[in-house]
Amino acid sequence: MPDHIDLAHLRDTLDGPWAAVRTAHRDHLDARFLPVYGETGDQARERITRLLGELPVELGVAAAFPAEYGGRSDVGASMVAMEMLAQVDLSLMVKAGVQWGLFGGAVAALGTRRHHDAYLRDIVAGRIFGCFAMTETGHGSDVQQLRTTCTYDPLSQTFDLHTPHEAARKDYIGNAARDGRMAVVFAQLVTGGRRHGVHAWLVPIRDPDGVPLPGVTIGDAGPKAGLLGVDNGRLSFDHVTVPRDMLLDRYGRVAADGTYSSPIENDSRRFFTMLGTLVRGRVSVGGAASAATKAALTIAVRYGDIRRQFTAPDAGREVLLNDYLAHQRKLLPALATTYALHFAQAELVAALADVQGGTGPVDEHRQRELESRAAGLKAAQTWHATRTIQTCREACGGAGYLAENRIPGLKADTDVFTTFEGDNTVLLQLVAKGLLTGHRDEFGSLDGWGRASFVAEKVRAMVLERTAARSVIERLISAVPGRDEEVAVTDRGWQLKMFEDRERHLLDGAVRRLRNGAATKKDRPFDIFNDVQDHVLAIAAAHVDRTALEAFVAGIEDTADPAVRTLLSRVCDLYALSVIEADRGWFLEHDRLTPARSKAITGVVNSLLRELRPHIRTLVDGFAIPDRWLHCAILREEPHRQEATAAHDAAGDPQVVRS
């Protein structure tokens, strides 16, 4: 391991192709944009709404919109901008995401030229605040079964938007409780007595003075655990009249006489094509979760480098927290996973920009692959954030429980991310379904798994697609000898092979179980899937682990600086071996590891922790989070603590200042 790492080179590697967007945020977002500890919900909402209007245009939050409407046609820049906002204030990020990602994004993706010309400029400029009204009280994840209806009347040439019962109320809607003037409302389209599935309408909900319009009932979702600056509310519609031209009709049109037409004939395929265009929200939530995780790790690591606890018998002085193996076990594997997910997110954003950033038609296969990767990665990132931020809280002791030290806010604000923009368990099933069937045209509800003929005839293992550095990864795997015992556990090809082998084995096993179920339970289609649901989730988790490792390998391959490359290689070793160590039960049960080799992995992990300990501060500094953004009282004491520690050590006094 090199003694010196050029921090600028590490930061350049992590900043990636949208480094200018990251730099602009670091330069322009000052103390005004930081969270205010102890404020009320009303104060937070007022502050966040005001700050949303003060965001510098050059930051690129609305960059995904076409240049003619005030954007710059750069999808990747908008995703990175959301990630950077999340490091400053998660309420600000979510509020911006609702306005420009969900509301504006839906108008852009589902509307046509007349909607764009009429509304996009004002949406991008923040002159129209809007909502994204999809989730219902009784139907959250199963959007295809929404109960709100929008029925066309050819005599008046208008739609009748109606909430038929309490369970069809739109819930948890950002911007609804206070600021929204319009909403993109998802409902079942009915014309000529026939339903055509879920579509979206642009619906005014308040007048210019903020008063709810006739037939629109608006409520406040009430106090929340976090994200106080986001005004989540509830919407109900009592036979609200909506003009025909307010249907966002890119994928489904209703003529004046009520005739329905669509470029996509199948209702389910049309529905999931529509939802697929909105994948950016899922990508931004995953990126925001990783951004918050980086902030928490930076605080915990830096605190661990100044906080001492217990005297070492042979040194006559107290030991830094980061020098304890137990502390390293908490933080360094989490840090390694954060690096792996960072490279996976960077790869996903690049793929998103490539697939959706052009002006021509979107390649359907690549779009489905993008949706699957976004779903799996979002689940991994948000669960990792929940676990890691809690770990960082504990690593900072009582100080980590104080609001002034930022971690409680990060924990509260990110907690909902595991169910926001798709419940993680449902998302992993979506990933697994794509892997199991290879048919991604219809990602239906659980019933879609159950048709016996579907299971018996169409379930097959698809070729495991490489997401990055294909030739490098294939070369590394092919170089692994036949006997694992002959290969060091730090051999990259062996690590890749272990991840791929686990995924493939789980996939093959699930296929067998589904086929057996189809043969014995033809009259119980739901049970066919439900009996293997645990297996299905394991497949998806293994798939995300494998794609994250491959993205990490690709990131290392693209790193020019030799010292940074060596450091990242060690971090990648720690990520791979930590995953194997955590799932050693599976690897032992399936004869992928011998007991002796399993024990050896723990020894190598501990060795990597010792090797990386001198570089732990460099690894978090590589995230380049400005000190002011960390907004953490214990880090403001950092220089004082370091000076006090040095003075006490020089005097031979073991009684170092305690927090």
Side-chain angles (χ1 to χ4, degrees):
M1 180 77 73
D3 292 331
H4 174 71
I5 304 295
D6 190 318
L7 190 56
H9 287 157
L10 178 59
R11 288 177 172 176
D12 288 345
T13 298
L14 295 178
D15 275 358
W18 285 278
V21 176
R22 299 182 189 276
T23 299
H25 280 77
R26 293 167 187 147
D27 290 344
H28 288 92
L29 294 187
D30 55 32
R32 290 177 300 147
F33 293 92
L34 298 176
V36 176
Y37 302 133
E39 66 184 346
T40 67
D42 287 341
Q43 290 169 335
R45 289 178 176 185
E46 188 284 326
R47 177 178 58 84
I48 292 298
T49 300
R50 172 174 50 81
L51 291 175
L52 198 68
E54 296 178 9
L55 285 173
V57 176
E58 59 266 34
L59 296 187
V61 179
F65 293 99
E68 63 185 302
Y69 299 115
R72 52 179 192 248
S73 304
D74 191 339
V75 176
S78 67
M79 295 296 97
V80 172
M82 290 295 180
E83 181 183 331
M84 300 305 290
L85 280 186
Q87 286 188 338
V88 181
D89 189 322
L90 284 152
S91 281
L92 185 61
M93 173 266 161
V94 171
K95 185 84 168 177
V98 169
Q99 173 66 17
W100 291 301
L102 294 177
F103 172 61
V107 174
L110 303 180
T112 49
R113 183 78 190 197
R114 71 174 185 277
H115 302 111
H116 299 168
D117 289 345
Y119 299 106
L120 278 188
R121 290 182 186 86
D122 286 337
I123 291 172
V124 172
R127 291 187 290 269
I128 296 177
F129 275 114
C131 314
F132 183 84
M134 177 183 284
T135 300
E136 294 180 357
T137 305
H139 285 84
S141 298
D142 192 3
V143 178
Q144 205 167 8
Q145 303 302 319
L146 294 180
R147 296 296 190 249
T148 302
T149 59
C150 207
T151 305
Y152 184 69
D153 176 12
L155 295 179
S156 64
Q157 297 193 17
T158 62
F159 287 94
D160 178 75
L161 176 64
H162 186 58
T163 303
H165 46 71
E166 190 70 10
R169 181 186 66 193
K170 299 296 182 181
D171 250 342
Y172 316 115
I173 309 303
N175 269 357
R178 169 186 158 134
D179 293 326
R181 295 296 185 266
M182 302 187 80
V184 171
V185 180
F186 289 79
Q188 301 285 349
L189 190 156
V190 183
T191 182
R194 179 189 167 190
R195 290 196 175 202
H196 294 275
V198 174
H199 289 64
W201 287 259
L202 189 57
V203 181
I205 60 172
R206 284 185 175 93
D207 67 19
D209 295 324
V211 178
L213 292 172
V216 180
T217 300
I218 302 176
D220 197 308
K224 299 172 294 180
L227 297 174
L228 299 186
V230 182
D231 53 323
N232 295 93
R234 296 164 175 153
L235 298 172
S236 294
F237 305 95
D238 184 12
H239 296 290
V240 173
T241 299
V242 181
R244 182 172 67 93
D245 62 3
M246 297 300 268
L247 169 66
L248 299 177
D249 57 356
R250 178 180 177 184
Y251 294 104
R253 297 181 178 180
V254 174
D257 65 357
T259 302
Y260 179 83
S261 62
S262 171
I264 303 174
E265 185 174 342
N266 181 274
D267 287 353
S268 290
R269 183 182 170 198
R270 181 191 320 117
F271 170 73
F272 288 105
T273 298
M274 291 168 58
L275 258 60
T277 64
L278 307 175
V279 71
R280 299 173 193 177
R282 197 163 285 163
V283 175
S284 65
V285 168
S290 284
T293 305
K294 293 169 186 175
L297 281 166
T298 300
I299 291 168
V301 165
R302 287 175 58 171
Y303 184 63
D305 255 358
I306 58 175
R307 178 70 162 91
R308 293 180 178 270
Q309 188 76 282
F310 300 109
T311 303
D314 58 343
R317 63 186 177 90
E318 290 184 313
V319 179
L320 287 169
L321 292 182
N322 284 346
D323 287 338
Y324 286 104
L325 176 63
H327 208 72
Q328 295 165 14
R329 275 271 177 181
K330 289 180 180 179
L331 297 181
L332 273 166
L335 186 52
T337 300
T338 302
Y339 263 73
L341 294 175
H342 172 92
F343 285 110
Q345 174 74 7
E347 184 182 295
L348 179 62
V349 169
L352 174 67
D354 190 36
V355 172
Q356 294 193 353
T359 56
V362 174
D363 181 276
E364 188 170 333
H365 173 76
R366 295 182 67 203
Q367 174 67 26
R368 294 291 180 263
E369 177 67 20
L370 177 69
E371 293 165 22
S372 179
R373 288 169 60 189
L377 189 56
K378 182 266 181 182
Q381 289 168 308
T382 55
W383 270 328
H384 177 63
T386 296
R387 291 190 301 266
T388 302
I389 294 171
Q390 174 63 24
T391 296
C392 292
R393 206 293 296 159
E394 296 176 18
C396 292
Y401 196 61
L402 297 177
E404 67 177 4
N405 291 321
R406 186 72 191 283
I407 294 177
L410 294 173
K411 183 178 175 182
D413 288 345
T414 58
D415 190 51
V416 74
F417 284 11
T418 57
T419 50
F420 182 37
E421 281 294 316
D423 178 275
N424 282 357
T425 300
V426 175
L427 293 182
L428 287 186
Q429 292 175 74
L430 185 153
V431 174
K433 186 174 182 181
L435 292 170
L436 282 163
T437 68
H439 294 271
R440 300 179 191 171
D441 291 341
E442 295 188 30
F443 290 150
S445 64
L446 295 184
D447 290 343
W449 286 85
R451 294 188 295 274
S453 60
F454 169 86
V455 176
E457 296 171 10
K458 293 186 177 180
V459 169
R460 61 180 176 81
M462 63 178 287
V463 176
L464 300 182
E465 297 184 21
R466 304 282 181 220
T467 55
R470 289 175 175 81
S471 60
V472 173
I473 291 164
E474 288 167 1
R475 174 174 53 80
L476 290 169
I477 291 176
S478 64
V480 179
R483 290 177 56 83
D484 286 349
E485 291 78 5
E486 300 173 2
V487 187
V489 296
T490 52
D491 182 274
R492 188 74 70 234
W494 179 81
Q495 295 166 358
L496 289 161
K497 181 174 177 290
M498 290 286 280
F499 278 51
E500 180 174 297
D501 189 44
R502 178 180 58 158
E503 181 183 351
R504 191 180 297 278
H505 184 96
L506 287 166
L507 197 55
D508 290 344
V511 168
R512 286 193 299 272
R513 290 182 65 187
L514 283 167
R515 284 177 174 158
N516 290 338
T520 60
K521 302 174 183 177
K522 292 180 180 179
D523 58 341
R524 289 179 288 162
F526 172 76
D527 290 342
I528 295 173
F529 169 74
N530 199 44
D531 288 350
V532 299
Q533 194 172 25
D534 58 336
H535 200 142
V536 163
L537 295 174
I539 293 168
H543 174 73
V544 177
D545 285 344
R546 193 259 300 174
T547 55
L549 178 58
E550 291 186 356
F552 205 158
V553 172
I556 295 170
E557 187 70 15
D558 290 339
T559 301
D561 183 79
V564 171
R565 190 184 180 104
T566 300
L567 175 64
L568 291 178
S569 183
R570 295 293 186 276
V571 176
C572 188
D573 284 336
L574 180 58
Y575 167 67
L577 295 179
S578 294
V579 171
I580 294 171
E581 184 183 44
D583 203 18
R584 74 169 82 204
W586 186 92
F587 288 104
L588 285 165
E589 286 176 0
H590 294 83
D591 295 324
R592 267 58 176 189
L593 285 177
T594 63
R597 197 163 176 82
S598 175
K599 292 178 182 178
I601 286 175
T602 295
V604 174
V605 167
N606 287 341
S607 177
L608 285 167
L609 296 177
R610 288 190 294 271
E611 188 176 1
L612 289 169
R613 164 61 184 99
H615 304 282
I616 189 171
R617 174 65 186 266
T618 299
L619 288 170
V620 295
D621 286 350
F623 299 140
I625 305 173
D627 284 354
R628 66 181 182 279
W629 287 10
L630 295 173
H631 199 29
C632 178
I634 51 175
L635 297 189
R636 290 196 290 271
E637 302 170 12
E638 196 172 16
H640 166 72
R641 286 178 175 273
Q642 290 171 334
E643 291 170 7
T645 297
H648 279 282
D649 288 350
D653 186 345
Q655 298 304 313
V656 183
V657 175
R658 297 177 184 270
S659 61

